[in-house]
Amino acid sequence: MRSRWQYTPTSDHAAVPVAAGSPAPLPAGEPMPLPAVPVAPIPQPATESRPCAKADAGPTPAPTATADKTGNPRWEQLVALIAKLPPEKADKLRAMLGGDSLVIASSAGFGQVLQALELRREGDRGQETSEPLMRRICHLLEPFLVNLTELDSAGVIRRQSLVPWWEASIAQSPVLRDIDQQYQRATKAKISAEMERLEEEAMAELAERAKTLTIRNTAQSVIEDVRRIGIVLAGGLPLAKALRDLGIEGPPSADGIELDSVLVRRFGQAYEALGVDHKFDPVWLGHAVMNHLSKPWEVVTLIHRVTGSTDIQMLEQTELAPLIDRTINQLVSVAAEATRAIKDAARQKKADGIEAATRNANLYFDLAESIAREIKLERTSQWGQSYMTSRKALSDLIPDKLGEFEETVTDFLDDWTPDTHGRDDHPGFLNAVAAADFIGFMKLRAARHGFGMPFANLERRMQDALGRSMKRPPRDTLDPWPAQKRRLLQGLRLI
C-alpha cells in the first residue's frame, strides 16, 4: 500500500468551478439555516416519498397578493408543518409569513420553505415510515453540516445549502430522477440491498453532477457548498463505513469526542484505504474528525502521530496540510476575538465582559500551546509567521491593559464598607472577582509566552491594597471582609 503522506492532489472537484448562472445578491433576509437532518443508520427500509418537488411539475397558478390561501393545498401543507414545530419557532415563522406580500404559495421560495420545514420534522416518524433519498444521502454529510449562515471555514458545509443543491440536482439530472423513483419503489418493497445500491449510485451521480451544477440567483457560499458536497459524496459508501468505524458518522455532539490512540490508529488505516483509487480527497476524513473533536486543534496531534513527523517543511507537503491551515486560521480568529474581548472588558469594567475576555484569552493560549507542542513552527514558514504574529499581539496587549483590570479591583477596595459591599452578589464585588481572575490566569500564562515582567510590581500593589485597614462592622456583627478578601487573593493567585 503506498504512502498517503506525500502531497498529491486527489480531488477533481477543486479544479472545476460550479456554474452560477447569473448570480444576484440575496435579499436582506436570507432563509433560516436548516436544523439537523433526522436520519436512520444506512441502510434502513422505508416507504415515504422524497421531500424535494420535481422540477418538471408545472408551476402552481399564482394567487394575487391578497388572495385567500386557505384553499391552496401547498399553503395548507405549510400550516400543517408549522404546527409540528416547537411553539416559539412556530410563532416566529408565522410572524415572518404573516404578510400576504411576503410569501405566496406560487413563489419559487415557497417550495424551499416547505422542504426546509419537512426536514425540521424530527421524532414524529414511526419505525414503518420511510426515509426519502435526500435524507439518506444527507446522512453522509452530517459530520460536516453547520447551521451558521455566514461562515468562511474549510471542512464544513452550510445546512441551508442542502435544499437548493438538491432541487437543482433533481432538475438537471434525469439519471438522479430515475434513481429516485427506483428508490421509492425499493423502500415500499423494503429491499435493503436494492436501497443500498441505489444510494451508492445516487452519491456517484451527485458527486459528478456537482462539477457542473447550475444554481441561478444564489449566493457564492451556496456554490462553494455544492463543490464541497460533491467532494464528500465522491467518498460514497466506503466513506460512510469509515465514518461509522471512527464513531463520527452523525452530527457532532455539543461535548465532542476525545482524541485517543484507537481513533489515531483507525484514522490512519481509513485514510490510506480511502485514497487508493484517487476518486476521493481523504483529507475530508480529517475534517470530519476535526469537526467532532472536543478540542478541534488536537487535529495537529493526530497529524503528528499519523505521519510521525514534526518537521514543518515536510508537513507542508502532505495531503493533511489543509487541516493545519484550518487550525492556524482558527488560532488567528481566536486571537482576534480575544483581543476584542480584552479591549472591551478593560473599557467597560463589568464582570460579564471580563469573564468573556478571560475565556477567550485562555482558549487562545490553550490552542497555541497545543500546536507548539506538536510541530516546530519556524519563523520562515507561513504557519510560523501567523502563530508568532497572533501571539505577539496578545502578549503586547495584556500588559498594556493590566492597569484597567487592577483599577477594577482597587475601586472596589477603596469604596468597601460592610453594609453596602459585604454581599457576595454586590456588582462591585463581582466585577473585582472577575478582574482578579483575569489577572491570575494571565500571570500563569505570562512565563510561557514572554510577558511576565509587569506582574511583580502589580502583585505588590494588590497585596498593599488588600492589606489596608477596612472599616469594620460593629461588634458581634458578621464581618464579610475575610471571605471576600480570600476570594480576591485566590483569583490573583496570591494564595
Side-chain angles (χ1 to χ4, degrees):
M1 183 175 293
R2 68 184 182 85
S3 172
R4 299 296 305 159
W5 316 129
Q6 185 64 32
Y7 179 73
T8 51
T10 58
S11 173
D12 295 330
H13 299 279
V16 184
V18 179
S22 304
L26 286 174
E30 292 191 356
M32 293 182 294
L34 300 181
V37 180
V39 294
I42 296 176
Q44 175 67 33
T47 56
E48 181 184 327
S49 61
R50 62 185 176 85
C52 292
K54 287 189 177 292
D56 55 0
T60 304
T64 63
T66 58
D68 182 9
K69 305 180 184 69
T70 55
N72 190 306
R74 299 184 79 203
W75 187 265
E76 293 175 357
Q77 182 185 2
L78 175 62
V79 171
L81 289 172
I82 290 177
K84 296 179 181 293
L85 294 175
E88 64 278 5
K89 291 184 179 180
D91 292 341
K92 182 177 180 180
L93 191 56
R94 288 191 188 99
M96 292 175 62
L97 303 180
D100 287 346
S101 60
L102 187 60
V103 173
I104 58 176
S106 62
S107 68
F110 191 87
Q112 292 191 16
V113 172
L114 290 179
Q115 307 311 326
L117 288 172
E118 179 66 21
L119 289 172
R120 288 175 186 268
R121 298 170 61 189
E122 185 173 6
D124 60 346
R125 302 180 183 274
Q127 294 183 351
E128 299 302 320
T129 59
S130 71
E131 296 292 340
L133 181 59
M134 178 187 180
R135 190 163 296 147
R136 307 302 306 130
I137 298 300
C138 287
H139 185 48
L140 184 60
L141 303 176
E142 279 291 351
F144 311 98
L145 296 179
V146 293
N147 290 328
L148 301 178
T149 56
E150 295 182 4
L151 189 68
D152 184 17
S153 175
V156 296
I157 298 168
R158 298 162 187 82
R159 198 177 294 275
Q160 71 170 16
S161 299
L162 293 180
V163 169
W165 156 72
W166 179 262
E167 291 183 337
S169 299
I170 282 286
Q172 298 172 35
S173 174
V175 173
L176 185 60
R177 292 198 294 271
D178 181 62
I179 292 173
D180 183 59
Q181 292 174 358
Q182 294 182 55
Y183 191 82
Q184 292 182 59
R185 292 193 291 269
T187 56
K188 292 179 180 178
K190 300 183 179 180
I191 307 175
S192 300
E194 178 70 0
M195 291 171 61
E196 184 173 346
R197 181 186 68 80
L198 292 169
E199 288 163 10
E200 188 169 18
E201 290 184 6
M203 291 178 190
E205 170 63 16
L206 287 164
E208 186 66 25
R209 180 64 56 178
K211 300 177 184 179
T212 57
L213 194 66
T214 300
I215 305 179
R216 298 186 181 279
N217 299 327
T218 193
Q220 183 63 35
S221 60
V222 176
I223 296 173
E224 174 61 22
D225 284 339
V226 169
R227 184 187 71 83
R228 295 177 180 183
I229 289 171
I231 294 173
V232 173
L233 292 183
L237 294 184
L239 174 60
K241 181 180 182 301
L243 295 173
R244 188 163 54 250
D245 291 343
L246 292 172
I248 56 173
E249 63 175 331
S253 65
D255 296 332
I257 61 175
E258 298 298 324
L259 183 68
D260 56 25
S261 58
V262 175
L263 182 59
V264 172
R265 184 182 71 254
R266 291 180 178 177
F267 173 81
Q269 295 169 346
Y271 189 94
E272 289 275 358
L274 287 170
V276 168
D277 58 8
H278 289 262
K279 293 181 180 179
F280 171 66
D281 187 349
V283 74
W284 279 82
L285 182 65
H287 285 307
V289 172
M290 189 173 180
N291 294 341
H292 275 78
L293 287 175
S294 59
K295 299 176 181 177
W297 56 87
E298 286 186 344
V299 74
V300 178
T301 304
L302 175 67
I303 295 171
H304 175 198
R305 294 181 184 176
V306 168
T307 63
S309 175
T310 61
D311 182 78
I312 196 167
Q313 293 181 348
M314 181 270 185
L315 292 173
E316 285 177 337
Q317 301 303 316
T318 69
E319 290 178 330
L320 296 175
L323 298 178
I324 303 181
D325 285 336
R326 183 180 173 190
T327 304
I328 294 296
N329 288 338
Q330 287 186 352
L331 176 72
V332 172
S333 177
V334 170
E337 180 62 23
T339 299
R340 183 199 61 77
I342 291 172
K343 290 179 178 179
D344 289 347
R347 183 179 66 256
Q348 298 168 2
K349 296 182 172 60
K350 299 297 182 183
D352 290 346
I354 298 173
E355 290 169 359
T358 304
R359 285 194 305 271
N360 282 283
N362 278 327
L363 176 60
Y364 170 80
F365 289 121
D366 284 344
L367 204 163
E369 291 167 12
S370 178
I371 294 173
R373 280 195 302 268
E374 299 298 336
I375 57 178
K376 299 175 182 178
L377 290 170
E378 301 172 0
R379 294 176 181 271
T380 56
S381 71
Q382 182 178 354
W383 294 337
Q385 290 173 2
S386 297
Y387 172 84
M388 295 303 297
T389 300
S390 64
R391 193 180 75 167
K392 185 178 186 303
L394 275 183
S395 297
D396 290 345
L397 176 66
I398 291 171
D400 184 56
K401 295 297 181 181
L402 278 179
E404 280 84 347
F405 295 97
E406 178 185 358
E407 187 177 293
T408 303
V409 179
T410 56
D411 284 348
F412 170 74
L413 297 177
D414 291 342
D415 296 337
W416 190 90
T417 57
D419 53 339
T420 58
H421 299 80
R423 305 189 326 270
D424 286 346
D425 61 349
H426 187 278
F429 178 62
L430 296 178
N431 296 341
V433 167
D437 286 344
F438 176 85
I439 294 171
F441 277 120
M442 294 307 102
K443 184 172 68 173
L444 296 177
R445 304 287 188 173
R448 295 196 293 270
H449 293 271
F451 56 95
M453 292 299 293
F455 285 92
N457 291 332
L458 184 146
E459 285 184 355
R460 285 194 294 269
R461 293 194 299 271
M462 287 286 93
Q463 287 172 333
D464 290 343
L466 287 164
R468 294 172 193 156
S469 59
M470 309 298 296
K471 295 179 181 180
R472 298 302 182 188
R475 197 171 177 182
D476 299 327
T477 303
L478 181 66
D479 185 358
W481 175 240
Q484 290 186 336
K485 180 178 179 179
R486 182 174 182 83
R487 176 63 184 87
L488 291 172
L489 286 170
Q490 288 175 338
L492 292 165
R493 301 301 192 272
L494 294 176
I495 56 173

